[in-house]
Each structure stands twice: as C-alpha cells, then as structure tokens.
Amino acid sequence: MLNPTSKTRDFWGGALVTLLGLGAMLEASTYRLGTLGRMGPGFFPIAVGAVLALVGLCLMISARFAAAEPRSVALAPEWRGWLLICLGIVSFVLVGRYGGLLPATFAIVFISALADRANSIATATVLALALVAVCVVIFWWFLRIQLPLFRWG
Amino acid sequence: MEESLQNLWFGFGVALEPHNLMWSFFGVLIGNMIGVLPGMGALSTISILLPLTYTMQPVPAILMLAGIFYGSQYGGAIGAILLNMPSHPPHAVTCLDGYPMTKQGKGGTALGITMISSFFAASFGITVMVFASPLLVRIAFKFGPAEMFSIMLLGLIAGSTMARGSPLKGVAMTLVGVLIGMVGTDINSGAPRFTFGLVELMDHVELVALAMGLFGVADFLRNVNRLEFVGTKMAVRFRDMRPSLAELRQAFFPMVRGTLIGTLFGAMPGTGPTITTFIAYAVERKVSRTPERFGHGALEGVAAPEAASHSKTQVDFIPTMSLGIPGDAVMALLLGALLIQGIQPGPQLIREHADLFWGLIASFWVGNVILILLNVPLIGVWVKLLAVPYRFLFPSALFFIAVGVYSTNSSLFDVMEVLFFGVVGALFMALEFPIAPIILGFVLGPLMEENFRRALVLSHGDLAVFFQRPISLGFMAACGLLVFWLAAFGLRGRLGAAPMRAVRVGDGE
C-alpha cells in the first residue's frame, strides 16, 4: 500500500520495527535497571527492545539484498472507509460516555455503515435501528450490561 | 485406577442430577449462541455471565461456567472459520486455514472437521484427566521458574516461525507483543511501565481489546469496500458439513497429533492454549509433504489446532484446580468464580470438594455431547450468517466488538484500545507482517518475564541456571537448534522439516 515493491516495503517495515525497539529502550531507560540477581522494572523491557531493534536491522539489511518483485495489484487507499470506521468507534466511546448505550449503538453502526459506499443513509439508518433493537434485547435485558440505556451528561 | 472409575461414576451421578444437567445445558447453549456472535469470545461471554452465578450453589455454578466455556469455544471456532474473526485468541490459528476454506466454499467441511476433532480431543483429554491426574500433577510440580522460562521461550520461537514469509518478521511481531504485554504495573516492583501517564493503562492492556483490534477492526479497515461477501463462494449446504471419507482420513492423523500436543501442554501450568494451537499448527506444517498449502485452506491446519485446543482445555483444568495455576485468562476467570464461591483451589480441592471436581469432569462429557446435539440442527443457522453481505456485517460486528470489549471490564477506555490496535494491526498487515504472533507474545511475555526474574533471583544472578537443570537444558537445546536451522535455511527462504523435529524432541523431555 505504501510502496509498489516488496523490497522497499520490507525495508520500511524493518525501519519501523527498529524504531519501535529503540523507542522501547529509550522509555525503559528511565526505569530502574537493577542487577541480574535483583532485576528492576527496566531490565526486561530494555533487553526485549534491544532484540527487537536488532531484528529490525536484520530485516532492513535482508530487504536490501532481496530481489525486487513488483506487487501484483496496487490497492487504492480507502480514506473515507478508514476514517468512518475509526470515527464510528470513537463515537461509540464518546456518545456512550455522555448519552448512554442506545445512542452509542446507533452512532457506531450508522457511521461505520456509511464507510461502505454501497450503503445509503436510509440503509444505514435501518441497520442501526435493527441493531439498537438487538442491543436492547440481548445486552440490556438479557445480559444486563453495565452501561445505562440513556444518560445525560 | 479402580478408584478413579468409581469417582467418575460418582461424578456422573452429580452431573446428571436434573438441575445440574439443566444448568450445564443452559451454559452450553448460551455460550454457543454468544460465542458465535462476532467479537464475543469465551472471555467476554464468561465475564458477562459471571455475576449470574453469584447467587447459585457452587456445583451448578461451576458446571454452567464450564458449559459456557466450551460452548463459546466451539462458537468461536465457527466465527473464526466463517468470518475470519477469532474472538478467543487460540482460534487465531484456526483462521489461517479455516477462513481460506470458507472462501473456497468448503466452510461446512471445516466446521464438520472442527466438531469431530474437538469431540475426539475432548474425550481424550477427559480420559487423561481422570486416569493420569495424579501423575501429571507430579510432573508439573517439577517445573521451576527456569523450566517455565525455557519452555515459553521455545514456544515463542516456534510460534513466530509459523508465520508465512520471513521468520524474522514473525519474531519481530512476537517481540512487539511482548512489549505490549509489559504495559501496566510491573508485578515485582509496582512501578508503572509504558503507561505514558494514562491511569487506565496501569491495569495492563486488555487481552480481548488487543485480539479484537488486531483481528476484527484491522480486518474491517483492510476490507472495507473491497469485499462484497465474507466468503467468495457461498454454496455451503447442510450436507457439506459431513466431511467425505477422504477428508476424514486426511484429518485423522493431524487430529491425533494435535490431541497429543494439547494433552502434553495441558499438564504444564502457565502454557496457555494459544501457544498449544500455534505449536500444533507449526508441527502439522513441518511434517506435511506439502507445506505450501498451509494458509490457503489446508484441512490439517484446522483439525490439528482445534484438537490441540480442546484436549489442552480439558487437561488444563488439572493445574487450575489442583495447583491453583491458571493456564490462561479464561482459566483465571473460572478460578475467580471458585474463589467467589468460597472454594480454595489447590491439592486439597479434590478431597474436600469431591462432588465438585468429579461432577465437573463428568459434566465435560455430558457437555460435549450436548454441544454436538445442539450443533447438528443449529449449524444451518450459523452457516446462514455467511449470506449476510459484508456491508451489513461489518458495522454490526463492529458494534458487537465494542459492546463485548466494553462489557469485559465495563470500561469505555478498552474500546479505545480496540481502535488503537486495529489501526496498528492494519498498518502491520499493509507492511505484510504476520499479526497472530503479537497475541502469542502478549500472553506469554509477562509470564516469561516473571519466571526469568524469579529464576535469576533464585540463582543469585547466575544465567547458567537455565542450562544446569536437565529439563530446562533440553528446552534450551531445542531453542538453539531451532534458531540455528532458521538462520541456515531462513536466509535461503526455504524451511525444511528439521526445525519442528527439534521441537518435538524438546517436548519429550
């Protein structure tokens, strides 16, 4: 998705992993290290981060020497779909926090349904209402979920 | 042996008492029904229904929870095979070949094989539990921290190499999982690690949130507007459920091998079912004459891990009940339920609460029969799930994921974790990293660290402890062999059957 060949993709994958490893080491270096016999909280994370960074370096090196093979199909990015799915989850959390379970259910289903271009506003509404009904029966009535159906503020 | 049989007879008497039987049936039915819903694994199902048992008697309570457990476990396999959604981490492996089978229109066969494998494996596991219980407990007692660390290291290395493509990428993802497992309060010192000031993270990353993010949300992000139906060929009919004789023969030995691997690992406290399924899968792939079929709908890749997970589950109750060491998060929940009932798991449990222990064992058999009886008529309902267009399915599944994750801890923060790990998983998938090893690292990482630190405290900082104890040395030697073979063959991009043979030598120690 990011790059057309597996060679460059593996290179950047390795770079990302190396960065993750180094970042973990950096963060863990602020924790107490301790000794082998009495390890502090920082010992294991630094060791794991170091190995991760090493593996990332190996990935980068092996990507350099690998034969470049072009990807069969380059997929177009789906920004609208990605954005709406993420937004759907965020809205579940926010609406659930301030409005309760029912509006949150409607929000997550309605917004994420619009991520698929084949769904119209009407179908998304119908789907969301159907799941609101499912939610009331299964989660609220039967499973007695902690989240209240409605709440204000 | 005679005593065990007598106890079992007594257990059947307890399990078949009408009201115990009723709760067992209820548990299996509800577990299966909820487990099939996308995003609702055994973990979330049990946690939601746990409060129901507070007012019940101990025996029916634990029978019902066990019923929910294997009901949802089978339901989870259905979700993994038909929808590529492992709501219980061990099913991550089942997805690898089960979902491609569905895409080829053989989802019914995969479900049928799963059912046969689980029944076979569960029966075997129960038999082992009845007759070998005392022996297995004695072996498990020999495991000190050094042995625990080395077997988990072996499991991690073996697990990461089952990834398709570069083993290095698998190792990288395993380590990322280990790092994610460190987030939260350090058990030994109480210091917060990788929490970045977020109080909610002190309590560690929620396993369900991680699994649903990586396998649910990441998948939706990747497939939105690119998939019309979940599978491509939708011609699954009821009679497809019955595997042909050739398919049965193909699945038989993987099933037996999976069962044996599951049984072996079940006896070891701390090794969860996830690692077991990973190893069963890896073994199948290495002994196969056509390993390239794996990941593209190989029947063996469904039969072996499912069998392993079910026999492991049964045998896993031994350390949970007799030592008080849970094999995984689900066992930990069951342990919690016992404690709520005022029952202290430990070696004295079998003696003091004989009705509970033997009733539970007998109810496993009863429950598995109920499971099969239920699924013969209901499988048609599950298969119909496939006909739902993807554009309706994923918003609904997203809702079930959000509610399921929320209900695990009643925490909306966990739902944000799902989103985070969904994006991370989609990014790694786009870079063609295998994401299943993340779960393996996440589950085993904290246990490994704990045992590593404990072993070194006991040896006063001497690393040689891992090579001085014979059992630990065996596992370490297997690790070394595995790494050597990976280095030798991995660079050339082809893996012989040899590495997994090394693993099995290690298992035999």
Side-chain angles (χ1 to χ4, degrees), chain A residues 7 53 58-60 69 73 79 99 102 140:
Chain A
K7 188 175 166 172
C58 289
L59 270 174
M60 285 164 78
E69 37 183 303
V73 192
W79 289 112
L102 278 195
W140 182 74

Side-chain angles (χ1 to χ4, degrees), chain B residues 304-321:
Chain B
E306 278 302 317
S309 122
H310 279 81
S311 59
K312 156 84 180 161
T313 298
Q314 297 303 339
V315 181
D316 219 8
F317 274 93
I318 301 174
T320 308
M321 302 291 269

Side-chain angles (χ1 to χ4, degrees), chain A residues 81-138:
Chain A
W82 295 337
L83 197 75
L84 284 174
I85 287 180
C86 295
L87 204 66
I89 301 177
V90 173
S91 71
F92 180 86
V93 173
L94 290 181
V95 178
R97 173 82 185 75
Y98 297 106
L101 180 60
L102 278 195
T105 304
F106 188 88
I108 189 172
V109 180
F110 182 76
I111 294 175
S112 61
L114 290 178
D116 194 301
R117 277 188 293 267
N119 281 334
S120 65
I121 301 243
T123 43
T125 312
V126 171
L127 186 66
L129 288 177
L131 277 157
V132 164
V134 169
C135 175
V136 171
V137 174
I138 296 186

Side-chain angles (χ1 to χ4, degrees), chain A residues 9-10 31 36-37 39 41 44-45 52 71 76 78 82 105 112 115-119 131 139 145-147, chain B residues 49 168-169 172 182 186 193-194 221 225-226 391 394-396 398-399 403 406 410 430 432 449 453 456-457:
Chain A
R9 192 182 50 238
D10 279 3
Y31 312 149
L36 261 180
M39 259 175 262
F44 208 67
L52 186 62
R71 283 200 93 184
E78 282 289 344
W82 295 337
T105 304
S112 61
D116 194 301
R117 277 188 293 267
N119 281 334
L131 277 157
F139 291 100
I145 194 169
Q146 297 287 305
L147 208 58
Chain B
L49 296 177
L168 268 181
K169 285 184 161 180
M182 279 175 200
D186 173 37
R193 294 192 294 186
F194 300 114
L221 288 172
N225 285 329
R226 288 173 189 157
R391 64 192 171 102
F394 83 83
S396 322
L398 211 54
F399 158 70
V403 175
Y406 167 80
S410 295
E432 294 197 350
E449 178 179 6
R453 285 163 81 162
L456 285 174
V457 166

Side-chain angles (χ1 to χ4, degrees), chain B residues 244-377:
Chain B
S244 69
L245 208 62
E247 283 164 336
L248 268 182
R249 214 174 298 134
Q250 193 189 355
F252 182 74
F253 282 107
M255 183 170 95
V256 172
R257 279 190 290 262
T259 304
L260 292 178
I261 290 169
T263 308
L264 199 69
F265 276 71
M268 297 169 192
T271 55
T274 312
I275 176 182
T276 315
T277 53
F278 274 80
I279 288 189
Y281 185 86
V283 166
E284 270 328 302
R285 204 178 142 208
K286 304 288 172 179
V287 300
S288 169
R289 278 191 211 96
T290 50
E292 67 277 0
R293 285 188 306 119
F294 281 76
H296 302 285
L299 195 56
E300 300 95 313
V302 174
E306 278 302 317
S309 122
H310 279 81
S311 59
K312 156 84 180 161
T313 298
Q314 297 303 339
V315 181
D316 219 8
F317 274 93
I318 301 174
T320 308
M321 302 291 269
S322 55
L323 298 178
I325 304 174
D328 68 342
V330 174
M331 288 295 152
L333 270 179
L334 290 177
L335 208 65
L338 280 178
L339 290 172
I340 289 168
Q341 296 284 352
I343 294 169
Q344 179 70 49
Q348 75 287 356
L349 178 128
I350 303 179
R351 213 163 359 104
E352 283 174 17
H353 299 280
D355 56 336
L356 187 121
F357 184 78
W358 293 102
L360 184 64
I361 288 190
S363 90
F364 288 146
W365 242 316
V366 176
N368 274 291
V369 173
I370 295 176
L371 194 62
I372 287 206
L373 290 180
L374 267 181
N375 273 281
V376 168

